[in-house]
Amino acid sequence: MTPRVFGWLAAGLLSANGALAQTYVIGVEGQSFQPHYWIGDKGEYQGFARELLDLFARDAGLDIQYQVLPVNQLTQHLLNGSIDFKYPDNANWAGELKGGKAIAYSQPVVQYVDGVLVPPKRQGDGIEQLQRLAVVDGWTPWTYQDRIDAGQTQVVRSADLGQMIKQAMRQQADGAYYNVVVATYYLDNIRARPGALVFDPKLPHSRGTFNLSSLRYPELIARFDRFLAERRPEVEALKARYQVEANLDSEYLGLEQWKIDFLKRQKEKATP
C-alpha cells in the first residue's frame, strides 16, 4: 500500500521569522474502522479521529499531516522516525517491537471494548459452545488465547470485518471477535442487518483505550493532554456525535439504538 499524506493546513506555512514552519506527521491506520476513522473515496482520512486531531492542531497552532499506513507497519514507522505521532496507540500494544523505547502516551482519548458477537439465539450459551471464533487477520483475541492453545477454540481467519461478519451470520463460526462499537456500527449502518449479531457480555471480553503516542515529541503529548482537559466539552460532543463510546458502561452495549430506546421505555413503564 502506498502511504498517503494529507494536511489540514497548506504545507509550507511561514513562521514569524519567515522560516518554514515545522510540519508534524501523524501516522494513522489505512483501514475502515467506523465510526472512529476511515479512508474516504478520494483517499482522505475521515471520522472522529480526524476531527479531534484537527481541532487539537488548530488549538495548538500546529501544522499537521496524516500519513495513512498499513496497520502492521505503523509501530515500525514510529520507531524509525518516519512519522512523529501514531494514532491510535496504547502502551500495551506491540510490547516486543517497542522494546522499552521511551514512547510518550497521551491520556486516553477513547475507551473501547473488544468482545464476541453471536447470533441472538446463542447469546448466553457460554464459552464451552464457542468452538469456532472468527477473527480478522492481525487481531489477537488475548482473552481466548489459553482456549486456543489448548485446542478448545478454533480460530477462523477473516480477511476483513465484512468477511468475519458473514462467517458468523452463516454459522461458519460460532462468534466473531472484534471491537464491539465498530462491529455494531457495521451491522447497523453498512451491512444494514441490525441485530443480526449481538455482543455477549457473559463471554470474556477486554477493555482498553486509544491514545496518541510519540517517540520524538513528549512535550506535544503533554500539550495534547492539556487540550483534552481544556476542551473537554467539545471533545465529549465529538464523541457523542460519532458515538465512539456508545453505551460502553451500560447494559446496552452492542445493541442497536431502536432496541435500546424500546428497553428504556419498558423500564420507565415498569417504574412505579
Side-chain angles (χ1 to χ4, degrees), residues 195-209:
L197 299 174
V198 295
F199 172 59
D200 192 336
K202 295 183 179 179
L203 291 173
H205 54 279
S206 61
R207 291 178 176 266
T209 60

Side-chain angles (χ1 to χ4, degrees), residues 143-183:
T143 48
Y144 293 88
Q145 199 58 51
D146 288 345
R147 289 186 57 84
I148 293 169
D149 292 342
Q152 297 169 317
T153 296
Q154 173 189 355
V155 173
V156 179
R157 289 291 172 188
S158 309
D160 53 33
L161 173 59
Q163 183 183 17
M164 182 189 68
I165 293 296
K166 287 181 183 178
Q167 288 168 331
M169 290 174 60
R170 294 175 179 176
Q171 300 183 11
Q172 297 168 351
D174 302 312
Y177 181 89
Y178 209 68
N179 180 291
V180 176
V181 166
V182 175

Side-chain angles (χ1 to χ4, degrees), residues 203-268:
L203 291 173
H205 54 279
S206 61
R207 291 178 176 266
T209 60
F210 289 164
N211 307 67
L212 180 68
S213 69
S214 179
L215 183 60
R216 288 178 168 178
Y217 301 107
E219 71 280 4
L220 288 180
I221 294 297
R223 178 67 186 85
F224 182 68
D225 286 344
R226 292 197 300 274
F227 158 78
L228 291 177
E230 293 168 358
R231 306 289 290 270
R232 182 174 179 179
E234 291 163 89
V235 173
E236 293 301 318
L238 270 179
K239 288 182 180 181
R241 178 152 62 87
Y242 280 97
Q243 295 190 310
V244 291
E245 291 180 339
N247 304 301
L248 281 190
D249 295 313
S250 81
E251 61 194 289
Y252 304 120
L253 175 62
L255 294 181
E256 57 271 29
Q257 191 60 48
W258 73 266
K259 190 174 291 186
I260 293 172
D261 295 339
F262 171 77
L263 292 174
K264 285 182 177 179
R265 287 196 298 269
Q266 293 298 103
K267 280 193 172 185
E268 290 172 359

Side-chain angles (χ1 to χ4, degrees), residues 7-27:
W8 71 272
L9 291 174
L13 290 180
L14 296 179
S15 65
N17 62 8
L20 286 176
Q22 181 169 352
T23 298
Y24 299 93
V25 179
I26 302 178

